[in-house]
Amino acid sequence: MTLPALHNTGVFYRRILSQFPQDISLAFAYGSGVFKQHGTSQGQMEKNMLDFVFAVDDPVTWHTMNLLQNRKHYSILKLMGPTKISSIQMNYGASVYYNTLVPVDGRVIKYGVISTDSLIDDLMHWKSMYVAGRLHKPVKMLVQSENGKLRAALVANLKSAVTASFLMLPESCTEDDLFQQIAGLSYAGDFRMVFGEDKSKVANIVKDNIQYFRILYSNILRDCPQVVYKPQQGKLEPHKEILLT
């Protein structure tokens, strides 16, 4: 089973990716610059920063190549060299190194670099849920290698999100309830949801993108033995055999 992600091979995204070293096992774009959120106009969306994550097998080699191609993207840490940058990436925070406020083709982007092994660990064990949480929500998948372990971890992450969300919902619920619960998992405990962020952020993410959530989760919900998924009605009900046991 492969991740039913939203593939985009548009010229714009290919042009951006072409400016980076190509040894990438997974690349995706996400956030309000990529997916419309309720209450945001197309004009506002096009002004938002574009967010990317690149998973790479060998961070030292990738940063070495990227410093040669895109040295201006880096902060003063570039003076420490690729080995130190990779060490900071691997050993601090969520194991992601970000370059931000980078102008590319008339847009401003930020991109995070994570090792493939660290990504798999986060997907399987929610070590920080930093990247795993972003992949609970729709993304534009730009590169996905044939790495079987990574592909299995991507699917496992979605299944775990469904299971965790069911535990926090009543037996019968709507798919909108479920998708909002899933989208909110990575914001649980985030102080920004108390101070600064729009309190309706999670609902806004789901409202205008529910068709993309269906693409991600419909197969998992249809195969789930605990519930009967009724997509035409937008409902999920407990399986009768489960109720009888």
Side-chain angles (χ1 to χ4, degrees):
M1 183 180 181
T2 58
L3 182 74
L6 304 173
H7 293 272
N8 186 303
T9 55
V11 173
F12 176 69
Y13 286 99
R14 289 204 304 272
R15 215 164 45 225
I16 289 177
L17 283 177
S18 70
Q19 299 182 43
F20 295 95
Q22 296 303 294
D23 188 17
I24 294 174
S25 62
L26 188 82
F28 64 88
Y30 67 95
S32 60
V34 180
F35 289 94
K36 188 176 183 298
Q37 294 183 11
H38 187 68
T40 302
S41 69
Q42 186 67 29
Q44 289 173 309
M45 180 180 162
E46 291 175 356
K47 293 177 182 177
N48 289 342
M49 185 182 295
L50 288 171
D51 300 326
F52 295 86
V53 167
F54 303 150
V56 302
D57 291 342
D58 184 344
V60 175
T61 298
W62 197 90
H63 283 297
T64 299
M65 297 169 65
N66 199 42
L67 281 164
L68 291 172
Q69 290 181 226
N70 300 302
R71 191 172 181 83
K72 290 181 179 180
H73 293 183
Y74 288 80
S75 69
I76 196 170
L77 288 177
K78 62 177 170 280
L79 300 177
M80 298 183 178
T83 301
K84 186 62 176 178
I85 290 171
S86 299
S87 176
I88 292 169
Q89 172 188 313
M90 298 291 289
N91 296 312
Y92 294 91
S95 299
V96 187
Y97 182 91
Y98 269 96
N99 284 324
T100 189
L101 298 175
V102 177
V104 178
D105 283 353
R107 295 289 295 271
V108 176
I109 76 167
K110 76 170 185 277
Y111 61 95
V113 182
I114 184 170
S115 77
T116 305
D117 287 342
S118 294
L119 174 58
I120 291 172
D121 189 30
D122 196 33
L123 293 169
M124 294 299 295
H125 306 295
W126 288 2
K127 185 177 179 181
S128 69
M129 210 196 285
Y130 188 84
V131 180
R134 278 153 179 75
L135 287 164
H136 290 160
K137 298 177 276 291
V139 302
K140 287 193 182 296
M141 194 66 68
L142 308 171
V143 174
Q144 187 172 338
S145 74
E146 295 301 318
N147 184 324
K149 191 174 180 182
L150 175 56
R151 285 176 175 262
L154 287 163
V155 176
N157 181 50
L158 298 180
K159 289 181 176 179
S160 295
V162 169
T163 301
S165 296
F166 275 148
L167 292 173
M168 293 180 272
L169 289 168
E171 283 188 344
S172 296
C173 63
T174 67
E175 63 176 3
D176 186 68
D177 293 332
L178 176 63
F179 295 152
Q180 286 200 42
Q181 189 67 58
I182 288 171
L185 287 174
S186 60
Y187 295 113
D190 189 335
F191 75 92
R192 294 175 304 170
M193 298 306 288
V194 180
F195 303 102
E197 283 283 10
D198 183 353
K199 302 298 186 296
S200 59
K201 181 180 179 70
V202 171
N204 289 343
I205 289 171
V206 173
K207 191 165 187 178
D208 279 3
N209 296 293
I210 196 162
Q211 71 273 29
Y212 300 136
F213 278 90
R214 287 174 182 149
I215 291 170
L216 277 179
Y217 290 102
S218 60
N219 287 341
I220 292 171
L221 293 174
R222 288 192 182 97
D223 292 341
C224 182
Q226 284 80 29
V227 298
V228 177
Y229 179 40
K230 300 179 177 179
Q232 287 77 21
Q233 301 172 37
K235 291 183 179 179
L236 297 122
E237 297 177 353
H239 200 286
K240 290 181 180 178
E241 292 181 3
I242 301 296
L243 291 176
L244 292 173
T245 58

